[in-house]
């Protein structure tokens, strides 16, 4: 059962000043970032790599990467949480793929060249209220829809790889993926205003 | 392709399963700051980011927080420690590097420094970690660049605890540039943190964490933001594995 872990995460109301302090290289700001998002980052990475020791290494890489690249972030707009989670997910999936001997995908572009793209997110996107909405939206998906989304999100599989893994035709998988994403978009429309 | 044709692919892109040619097309639109696509991708990313918050909760060890803060403290300032502490430590380190490599003396000096300073939590963590690497049962020491004008120094590798690099004659990086350490294993380089050298050309850098089967430790000059793979010829590379075998 999925528990909305983000309920434990404080509303990110002062992320803006946190980002500004990180940009001024204030190590205490990193400590606060860790206190705010360390658990959710670790939880996400453990879910992907399923090994606590490896997950801790990857959490460290994640925070260092964000620390080293925070200059590209717009502190006036920013909620840093979603960016941090994207970096965490990419680190974890890269690890998973290299451990499995699969080709690494070039995710760096999305995550590091354009951190600005994470900036407009609503400040409380990681709030408990939303976590509950997301949980219920995911639970409303059909089992196949949920499965393809999990394989894509937590294992970083391509649609072709998902088809292989599930032993289903690629066309069927593509239909499920699209339907799942559409359902999530519709369900979360109120959560994530345009 | 125009934005309208890409609209249906924003979420696929955000979750990482977009296919060609849409994937490259979306990238191209983002690269040229296409307002429509940027808005669409932001929104798609919000949906995807929310998925990350639905995982079962897990708790990392308390040591992880210290480890992360310490690694930044080391990268952040020259040594990451209070100036007097850095001075004492640096003197011991460089003595060891330049005057005969007595790691044992170095460890003793470090132990003394450590005892003297119990207030600076983060800084002390860095000292403790450096100490742990220096004195690890599995630690190997590699000297590089001896007898040359080029960078020279020592690399301490503890497979279980991390890498400590001490270098001299490493001229300060040009503006916008920084040094990046690499841990080379099976022909692949893994980024191991950025650092700067001091005006006198000395530098120290530590990377915590398991570094099993390291073949070599290398340093390149990179843009300050760091690179995921080396983009220039290493200034030096210290072979590790050969030494162990
Ligand atoms: Zn566009």
């Amino acid at each position: 059962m999925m528990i909305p872990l983000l309920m434990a995460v404080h509303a990110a109301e002062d992320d803006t000043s946190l980002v500004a302090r990180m940009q001024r290289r204030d190590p205490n700001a990193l400590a606060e970032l860790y206190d705010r998002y360390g658990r959710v980052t670790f939880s996400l990475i453990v879910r992907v790599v399923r090994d606590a020791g490896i997950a801790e290494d990857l959490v460290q890489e994640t925070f260092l990467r964000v620390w080293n690249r925070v200059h590209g972030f717009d502190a006036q707009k920013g909620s840093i949480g979603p960016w941090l989670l994207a970096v965490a997910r990419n680190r974890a999936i890269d690890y998973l793929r290299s451990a499995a001997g699969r080709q690494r995908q070039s995710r760096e572009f999305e995550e590091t060249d354009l951190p600005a793209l994470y900036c407009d997110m609503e400040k409380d996107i990681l709030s408990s209220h939303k976590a509950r909405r997301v949980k219920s939206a995911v639970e409303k998906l059909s089992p196949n829809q949920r499965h393809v989304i999990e394989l894509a999100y937590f294992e970083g599989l391509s649609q072709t790889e998902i088809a292989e893994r599930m032993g289903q035709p690629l066309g069927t998988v593509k239909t499920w993926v699209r339907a799942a994403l559409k359902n999530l978009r519709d369900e979360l429309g109120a959560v994530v205003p345009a | 392709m125009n934005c309208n044709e890409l609209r249906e692919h924003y979420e696929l892109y955000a979750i990482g399963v977009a296919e060609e040619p849409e994937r490259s097309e979306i990238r191209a639109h983002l690269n040229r700051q296409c307002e429509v696509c940027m808005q669409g991708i932001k929104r798609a990313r919000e949906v995807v980011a929310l998925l990350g918050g639905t995982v079962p909760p897990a708790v990392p060890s308390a040591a992880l927080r210290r480890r992360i803060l310490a690694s930044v403290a080391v990268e952040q300032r020259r040594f990451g420690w209070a100036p007097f502490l850095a001075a004492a430590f640096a003197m011991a380190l460089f003595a060891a590097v330049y005057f005969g490599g007595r790691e044992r003396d170095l460890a003793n000096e470090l132990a003394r420094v450590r005892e003297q300073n119990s207030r600076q939590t983060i800084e002390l963590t860095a000292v403790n970690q450096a100490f742990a690497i220096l004195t690890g049962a599995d630690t190997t020491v590699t000297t590089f660049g001896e007898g040359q004008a080029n960078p020279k120094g020592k690399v301490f590798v503890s497979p279980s605890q991390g890498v400590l690099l001490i270098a001299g004659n490493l001229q300060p990086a040009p503006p916008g540039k920084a040094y990046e350490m690499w841990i080379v294993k099976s022909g692949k380089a893994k980024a191991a943190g950025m650092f700067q050298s001091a005006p006198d050309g000395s530098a120290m850098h530590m990377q915590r964490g398991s570094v099993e089967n390291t073949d070599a430790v290398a340093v390149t000059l990179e843009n300050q933001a760091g690179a995921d793979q080396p983009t220039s010829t290493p200034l030096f590379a210290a072979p590790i594995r050969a030494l162990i075998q």
Side-chain angles (χ1 to χ4, degrees), chain A residues 2-168:
Chain A
M2 292 202 294
I3 301 163
L5 180 82
L6 293 174
M7 291 176 75
V9 176
H10 307 298
E13 53 196 344
D14 51 357
D15 270 359
T16 307
S17 63
L18 192 59
V19 169
R21 283 168 53 214
M22 285 176 67
Q23 288 171 337
R24 291 197 302 271
R25 314 320 274 159
D26 172 1
N28 292 330
L30 185 72
E32 278 176 42
L33 184 76
Y34 182 82
D35 292 341
R36 212 169 282 177
Y37 296 112
R39 267 190 67 188
V40 66
T41 304
F42 178 74
S43 303
L44 172 58
I45 292 178
V46 161
R47 166 68 180 80
V48 174
V49 303
R50 300 188 184 281
D51 179 299
I54 291 162
E56 292 201 347
D57 286 349
L58 294 170
V59 170
Q60 183 175 13
E61 274 186 34
T62 299
F63 277 87
L64 289 186
R65 179 170 289 248
V66 165
W67 172 258
N68 286 330
R69 304 190 180 198
V70 73
H71 295 288
F73 212 81
D74 186 341
Q76 292 310 308
K77 299 177 186 169
S79 174
I80 198 169
W83 180 41
L84 183 74
L85 288 188
V87 173
R89 175 186 170 232
N90 291 351
R91 296 273 70 69
I93 287 174
D94 272 354
Y95 173 84
L96 206 62
R97 294 189 71 91
S98 62
R102 286 198 299 260
Q103 204 191 345
R104 281 181 49 164
Q105 291 172 336
S106 49
R107 299 171 177 280
E108 306 304 331
F109 173 88
E110 286 84 355
E111 156 200 314
T112 57
D113 289 2
L114 294 171
L117 279 185
Y118 290 91
C119 285
D120 264 358
M121 296 192 175
E122 240 192 311
K123 289 204 190 312
D124 60 344
I125 194 166
L126 298 177
S127 73
S128 59
H129 165 68
K130 294 198 174 162
R132 250 172 280 149
R133 290 284 302 270
V134 178
K135 184 186 171 220
S136 97
V138 171
E139 281 171 352
K140 278 185 201 164
L141 297 177
S142 75
N144 282 328
Q145 287 176 8
R146 199 183 313 160
H147 196 187
V148 294
I149 290 300
E150 286 180 355
L151 289 174
Y153 186 77
F154 293 114
E155 300 199 29
L157 298 189
S158 69
Q159 296 188 83
T160 305
E161 289 165 336
I162 293 171
E164 283 168 15
R165 176 78 68 90
M166 295 178 73
Q168 296 285 346

Side-chain angles (χ1 to χ4, degrees), chain B residues 69-150:
Chain B
L69 296 182
S71 57
V72 165
V74 170
E75 282 181 3
Q76 179 49 29
R77 285 160 278 155
R78 178 179 161 207
F79 291 163
W81 305 318
F84 74 97
L85 187 57
F89 186 43
M91 218 151 34
L93 288 172
F94 287 104
V97 170
Y98 291 112
F99 307 111
R102 293 188 299 268
E103 281 80 37
R104 196 182 179 79
D105 295 348
L106 174 58
N108 289 340
E109 177 65 16
L110 200 48
R112 196 178 62 74
V113 170
R114 187 165 63 151
E115 274 170 29
Q116 279 178 353
N117 303 276
S118 53
R119 282 158 300 180
Q120 321 248 348
T121 319
I122 292 176
E123 287 78 5
L124 192 64
T125 306
V127 174
N128 285 340
Q129 296 190 336
F131 186 76
I133 292 174
L134 280 169
T135 59
D138 57 354
T139 297
T140 56
V141 190
T142 309
T143 305
F144 60 86
E146 254 179 340
Q148 297 175 28
N150 291 327

Side-chain angles (χ1 to χ4, degrees), chain B residues 2-3 6 10 29 32 34-37:
Chain B
N2 64 42
C3 304
L6 298 174
Y10 291 154
H29 280 239
R32 58 172 186 259
C34 165
E35 279 297 324
V36 177
C37 288

